[in-house]
């Protein structure tokens, strides 16, 4: 079945630790996105990528980093510089760009110990 | 001020009722998205529309570009429709990935 997978479902981070969230898609989509969701807030864009080896900062990129070495994969690293990382993280993809339907993964919930 | 506003924020209905969720936006857009987020967090794209009306099963989405307003209707609501419904709009001329999301409408349908 085609779709987007994210792992892990839950992730715990210690102070000063970098953690990486996985996002994989087999939809052959060019564009991939990372969003953060906080209670009572709309989704906010962290990073997006429209093509392999290229990515752009979204509205809240500080404290995060990404890579896009393969079309299928768009991992997100939450660095120790992100002081308030507790949130629900959603990965999405679309055929080409944000003007098209986006398909979402199941999400990763990140908690700080 | 959020550029995409949804109302109501919370909605409780009895099974079988007709539901309407509203979305107003203040930016120029090419199309508007309606999404459904289940209690577990997963998000499903319901509609993307740029004009008129779209229907899928018991769900109907309408948009009025001149009034910058869209509605999502659910006919014969059922408890399994309980979810958060989110509207989102990509900006004209904005960065390609820049969808602006509403804060969502939490719908609870009681049996």
């Amino acid at each position: 079945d085609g779709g987007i997978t994210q792992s892990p479902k839950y992730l715990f981070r210690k102070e000063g630790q970098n953690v990486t969230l996985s996002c994989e898609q087999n939809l052959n989509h060019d564009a991939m996105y990372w969003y953060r969701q906080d209670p009572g807030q709309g989704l906010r864009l962290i990073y997006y990528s429209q093509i392999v080896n290229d990515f752009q900062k979204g509205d809240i990129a500080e404290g995060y980093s990404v890579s896009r070495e393969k079309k299928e994969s768009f991992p997100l690293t939450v660095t120790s510089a992100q002081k308030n990382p507790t949130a629900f993280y959603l990965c999405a993809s679309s055929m080409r760009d944000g003007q098209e339907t986006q398909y979402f993964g199941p999400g990763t919930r990140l908690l700080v110990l | 001020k959020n550029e995409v506003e949804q109302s109501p924020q919370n909605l409780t209905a009895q099974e079988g009722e007709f539901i309407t969720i509203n979305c107003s936006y203040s930016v120029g857009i090419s199309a508007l998205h309606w999404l459904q987020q289940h209690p577990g967090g997963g998000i499903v794209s319901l509609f993307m529309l740029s004009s008129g009306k779209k229907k899928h099963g018991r769900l109907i989405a309408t948009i009025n570009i001149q009034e910058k307003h869209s509605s999502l209707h659910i006919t014969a609501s059922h408890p399994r429709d309980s979810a958060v419904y989110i509207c989102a709009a990509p900006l004209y001329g904005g960065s390609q990935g820049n969808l602006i999301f509403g804060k969502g409408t939490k719908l609870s349908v009681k049996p």
Side-chain angles (χ1 to χ4, degrees):
Chain A
D1 280 6
I4 303 177
T5 57
Q6 288 185 243
S7 62
K9 190 172 182 179
Y10 295 95
L11 185 58
F12 298 92
R13 193 190 92 162
K14 295 180 182 177
E15 289 285 339
Q17 185 182 40
N18 292 354
V19 292
T20 297
L21 285 63
S22 167
C23 177
E24 305 274 335
Q25 54 97 0
N26 61 3
L27 299 167
N28 199 33
H29 284 171
D30 287 325
M32 297 186 74
Y33 314 85
W34 273 107
Y35 295 100
R36 170 179 171 143
Q37 187 177 39
D38 294 283
Q41 303 267 348
L43 277 72
R44 291 181 291 169
L45 182 67
I46 304 172
Y47 269 99
Y48 67 99
S49 167
Q50 287 188 273
I51 197 168
V52 174
N53 291 322
D54 186 56
F55 47 83
Q56 306 294 328
K57 291 181 179 180
D59 301 318
I60 53 165
E62 186 173 347
Y64 300 96
S65 65
V66 293
S67 62
R68 187 86 186 275
E69 297 177 1
K70 298 187 297 182
K71 188 176 185 177
E72 306 79 30
S73 179
F74 191 40
L76 174 75
T77 296
V78 184
T79 74
S80 57
Q82 172 49 245
K83 298 306 178 190
N84 185 23
T86 297
F88 188 56
Y89 291 87
L90 285 152
C91 178
S93 71
S94 65
M95 188 73 77
R96 274 179 290 278
D97 61 32
Q99 311 290 334
E100 299 175 329
T101 298
Q102 294 191 12
Y103 296 84
F104 287 81
T108 292
R109 196 164 297 278
L110 176 61
L111 299 165
V112 176
L113 293 176
Chain B
K1 183 183 183 297
N2 199 23
E3 292 166 308
V4 176
E5 298 280 352
Q6 288 186 239
S7 63
Q9 192 173 344
N10 293 284
L11 181 57
T12 300
Q14 287 299 126
E15 184 173 355
E17 285 185 2
F18 181 82
I19 305 289
T20 296
I21 298 170
N22 297 300
C23 177
S24 297
Y25 51 91
S26 57
V27 296
I29 65 167
S30 56
L32 188 117
H33 301 249
W34 279 103
L35 310 168
Q36 181 191 52
Q37 185 170 29
H38 294 285
I43 290 180
V44 173
S45 180
L46 298 175
F47 296 103
M48 185 177 70
L49 67 166
S50 55
S51 65
K53 180 168 77 173
K54 284 191 175 181
K55 185 176 189 291
H56 185 258
R58 295 180 294 106
L59 299 176
I60 303 166
T62 63
I63 190 167
N64 185 319
I65 295 291
Q66 287 75 26
E67 294 185 4
K68 294 187 176 179
H69 181 268
S70 177
S71 293
L72 177 69
H73 306 286
I74 305 174
T75 62
S77 60
H78 189 275
R80 65 175 175 265
D81 297 325
S82 298
V84 176
Y85 293 85
I86 301 168
C87 67
L91 291 176
Y92 265 138
S95 55
Q96 290 296 319
N98 205 4
L99 277 181
I100 307 297
F101 292 84
K103 293 183 179 180
T105 294
K106 185 174 183 179
L107 172 65
S108 179
V109 182
K110 307 293 185 187

